[in-house]
Amino acid sequence: MKILIVGAGPAGVTVAETLRQHDDRVEITMLSGEPTPPYSPPAMLEYFTTGREVHLWRGRDFAERLGITYRAGTTVVAVEPAQHTVRLEGGETLGYDRLVLATGGRLYTPIAGEEKPGIYNFKSLTAAEELLGRVRSGAARSALIVGAGFIGVEIALLLADLGLEVTQLVRSRVMRSMLDPETSQIVLGMIEARGVRVLQDDAADAVAFVGDARAEAVQMRSGDVVSADLLVAATGLKPNVAYLHGSGIETKWGVLVDDHLRTNVADVYAAGDVAETFDRFTGERYVHAIFPNAVAQGRIVAYNLLGWDTAYEGADNMNSLKHLGLPLMAVGRMTGEELRVQRGAELRKLYLEDNRIVGFRLVGDVSAAGIFRSLMNRRADVGPLRHRLLDPKFGMGTVIPYTAQ
Amino acid sequence: MKTVFVNPERCVGCMQCQVACAVEHSQSKNLYQAVFEVPKPRPRIYVAPGLYLNTSFPNKCRHCDPAPCMEVCPTGAITRNADLDIVVIDGNKCITCAMCAMVCPFDVIRYYESATVKLDKTVAVKCDHCIDRQRQGKVPACVEVCKVNALVFGDPNEIAKSAAGRLAKLVSVATGAIHPELPRLPATFEAWRKWGEESGKVNER
C-alpha cells in the first residue's frame, strides 16, 4: 500500500512513525514544503535563543531511519481524489492509495495591506529564519508586534531578550481567548517588566499596514501611525486549505473530518492544524492548533490506516507559556463558578460547573495541573473535594483515597 | 518487567524515600556532601499527606505505557528505555514547555535545575527508576530505604500473586478462629466424594 503524507509537521511525522512502528512494508512518501528535515514548531524559539538544534526533534536522519521517501521543498497544488493523485508545483503528479493531509496552518492577518512584503511572522522555520536574520544582521533595532496571543507574547519576549526595542499591540487584552482578565493582567505586567512597550485599546487597533513598496508602519483606527524596523504579525492561524479548492474535499475553516479523522472523500484523512476537529469536552468544532493535538490526531490516522478502527477522543483546549519567567498554564473553559487562591506570586483559578472542573488557570506554580486535567476529562464529581482543591498540599495523596472509595 | 509497587496502606509518611532519592540523584551520592551541592539535589518521589489522619501517599512516576508525557514532548526529550521499561527525560533536550506536566495524570513532573543538565536553567525532572542502580543490579533507592515495605520492587504479577496468597491465608485463619467447626468437611463433601469414586470405577472398567 502506498501512503502519501502531505506535510512534515508533528502530525505528519507521527503518522509516518506510527505506521512504521507497526508495519515495516507499507510504502510511505512524505512531502514537506520546507527545505529542512522535520522540525517541531514549539521548539523554534529555543533554537533561536540558544542555538540548540532541539527543533529537529526526530533528528536529521529521520527519513533514512524510518525508510520513507522524504521530499523537502515540495508544494502540492491540487488533489485529484478520482484518480488518486496529487499534482505538485512544476506539474509532476504523484499517485497514492491513501492520502494524509497534514499541511498545517499559515498566518492569518485580517488587516488591510497584509499582502505587502516586509511583514514578518513566526509561523514556519523559514519565516522565522528571515525574521531573525534581520535582527542578527543589525538591520532591525526596533520591532512592532501586532497581536498578543501566546505566539505574539513569546516573540515579543524573544526579541526583547535579543536587545530590540519592542512594541506590542494589545487590542483588548493579552491572550484574551485563553486567559481570564486577572491572569491576563499579570502577564501584561510581566512582559512590561521585561522591557516590552505595550500599546492598548484604541492606540492598538491596527487597521492597515502602510508603506509604498514594503510595509513600513501600522496604521490604527484613530489615524495614528506606528512604525518600526521590523513589523511582525502574530494575529492568528489559518489552516492551509487553498490547494484543496475544487478537489471535492469539504473544508470550512479547516478540513472537515469525522471522528475517525476521515474527510468526506474516500481514502483521504486529515490531521494536525489543518484539520477541523471537535473539542473533547464540549464537542464544539474548531481548529485548536497545538502540538499535543497534532500528535494525537496523527496517531489516530495511522491506526485507522493500519486497519484498526480507532475513534478520536477530541481535541484538548490548553496551552502553556514558557518564556515568561513564571510558569503559566491555561486549560479548558473559563465559565461557571470560580475558585480562586493567591499566595504571593502564585495564582490558581479553577472553574467548576455542576461540581465538575471545566477549566483552570495556574500562574507561578503548576503542580497538580495534570490531576486537575484528569479530573476534568473524566468529568469527575469533585464536590466532596472542593474545599481541598486549592490547598497547597492538594495532590495524589488527596485524590487516591477519595477515588478508591 | 520489574517496577516499584506502592502500597499506600503501609506508608507511615517518614519521607526517608525522599531523602534517599535526592541523595541518589546528587553528584556525590553522599548525604552529608549532597546537602552542600549546587544545584541542591531534590527528590523525585513525593510523600503527600492523605485525606485522612495518619495516612500518606508516596507519589512517583508510574512509567506508563503509553506514556502521555512522552507523546506530547515537542523535542523528543522523553523516551522509553526498552530494556528496563523506564520512561526517561533527557534534560538537555528539554525546552520547559510544561506540556508533560499538563498531561501527567499523576502529577510527578517538576521543573528545577538539575546537576546532570548543563544548561543553567530549569528543566523537567522526574523519577528515572534509578536506571543507573538497576543497571548495576540494585533496587531503586526509595525501595532500598523503605522500612515498612510500602515500596516494593518486583514483577507486578508476582507481587499481586503474593498479595492474593497473603489475603487467602488471612481469611482462612480468620474464619477458622471464628468458627472452629468450619474446617471439618461438611457431610455433602463426603457424599460427593463417594459418588466420584463410584463413577470413577464405572469409567475405569
Side-chain angles (χ1 to χ4, degrees), chain A residues 40 42-43 46 52 54 57-58 291-292 295 299 318-320 329 368 370-371 373 388 393 396-398 400 405, chain B residues 49-52 57 59 62 71-72 74-76 92-95 97-99 101-104 106-107 119 121:
Chain A
S40 162
E46 186 81 9
R52 293 195 288 146
V54 281
W57 67 308
R58 285 312 189 229
F291 183 94
V295 169
R299 197 168 297 113
M318 60 186 193
N319 219 328
S320 76
M329 236 180 230
I371 301 178
R373 182 173 166 273
R388 294 176 188 268
K393 289 229 183 311
M396 286 310 282
T398 326
I400 289 221
Q405 274 172 359
Chain B
L51 199 52
Y52 309 111
F57 182 71
N59 191 27
R62 271 60 155 189
E71 289 179 357
V72 300
T75 59
N92 288 303
K93 286 187 181 170
C94 177
I95 58 167
C97 69
M99 281 292 169
M102 208 185 282
V103 300
C104 173
F106 303 115
D107 187 32
L119 290 175
K121 65 170 203 129

Side-chain angles (χ1 to χ4, degrees), chain B residues 1 3 154-164:
Chain B
M1 205 65 80
T3 188
D155 183 277
N157 292 322
E158 294 296 323
I159 292 168
K161 208 167 101 184
S162 75

Side-chain angles (χ1 to χ4, degrees), chain A residues 168-187:
Chain A
Q168 185 152 36
L169 301 184
V170 185
R171 200 171 50 188
S172 56
R173 48 192 182 79
V174 178
M175 303 177 204
R176 182 193 47 197
S177 62
M178 283 302 280
L179 298 185
D180 60 286
E182 189 185 11
T183 313
S184 194
Q185 197 61 35
I186 293 175
V187 177

Side-chain angles (χ1 to χ4, degrees), chain B:
Chain B
M1 205 65 80
K2 285 185 170 180
T3 188
V4 175
F5 182 84
V6 178
N7 189 346
E9 276 116 344
R10 284 177 164 255
C11 180
V12 294
C14 71
M15 301 195 178
Q16 289 192 40
C17 51
Q18 288 194 182
V19 176
C21 180
V23 171
E24 170 58 29
H25 295 97
S26 69
Q27 289 160 280
S28 61
K29 301 199 192 296
N30 173 301
L31 174 62
Y32 303 100
Q33 282 167 281
V35 174
F36 300 102
E37 281 176 23
V38 179
K40 195 171 92 181
R42 290 163 67 164
R44 299 158 182 212
I45 181 167
Y46 312 95
V47 182
L51 199 52
Y52 309 111
L53 196 66
N54 283 338
T55 62
S56 54
F57 182 71
N59 191 27
K60 61 178 282 299
C61 177
R62 271 60 155 189
H63 301 270
C64 316
D65 190 5
C69 57
M70 193 170 135
E71 289 179 357
V72 300
C73 179
T75 59
I78 308 182
T79 51
R80 179 182 300 278
N81 176 296
D83 300 337
L84 294 166
D85 203 22
I86 298 174
V87 177
V88 284
I89 301 182
D90 178 357
N92 288 303
K93 286 187 181 170
C94 177
I95 58 167
T96 329
C97 69
M99 281 292 169
C100 50
M102 208 185 282
V103 300
C104 173
F106 303 115
D107 187 32
V108 294
I109 301 173
R110 297 286 184 277
Y111 299 89
Y112 53 82
E113 281 183 38
S114 154
T116 51
V117 179
K118 305 292 174 212
L119 290 175
D120 224 15
K121 65 170 203 129
T122 61
V123 292
V125 181
K126 69 161 192 73
C127 161
D128 62 357
H129 249 171
C130 284
I131 189 162
D132 294 341
R133 289 176 62 100
Q134 284 203 41
R135 284 196 178 120
Q136 297 162 18
K138 293 195 229 166
V139 302
C142 56
V143 173
E144 189 183 68
V145 80
C146 185
K147 309 294 190 290
V148 290
N149 281 350
L151 300 169
V152 185
F153 188 62
D155 183 277
N157 292 322
E158 294 296 323
I159 292 168
K161 208 167 101 184
S162 75
R166 253 192 343 261
L167 182 66
K169 200 173 155 193
L170 277 173
V171 169
S172 76
V173 169
T175 47
I178 297 164
H179 297 289
E181 73 282 9
L182 270 186
R184 265 186 280 124
L185 286 173
T188 44
F189 270 61
E190 298 294 327
W192 278 108
R193 281 203 173 142
K194 261 190 192 134
W195 184 80
E197 275 168 29
E198 292 307 316
S199 53
K201 279 180 201 156
V202 174
N203 289 340
E204 278 165 10
R205 191 156 50 86

Side-chain angles (χ1 to χ4, degrees), chain A residues 107-159:
Chain A
L107 180 72
Y108 170 62
T109 319
I111 296 175
E114 51 98 9
E115 71 293 338
K116 286 188 178 145
I119 303 166
Y120 293 85
N121 71 77
F122 215 75
K123 274 315 301 165
S124 68
L125 191 57
T126 314
E129 295 265 18
E130 272 176 44
L131 193 163
L132 269 297
R134 294 262 300 164
V135 177
R136 291 202 184 107
S137 68
R141 290 176 187 281
S142 63
L144 178 65
I145 293 151
V146 186
F150 272 78
I151 296 181
V153 169
E154 294 215 324
I155 303 171
L157 294 173
L158 167 73
L159 295 180

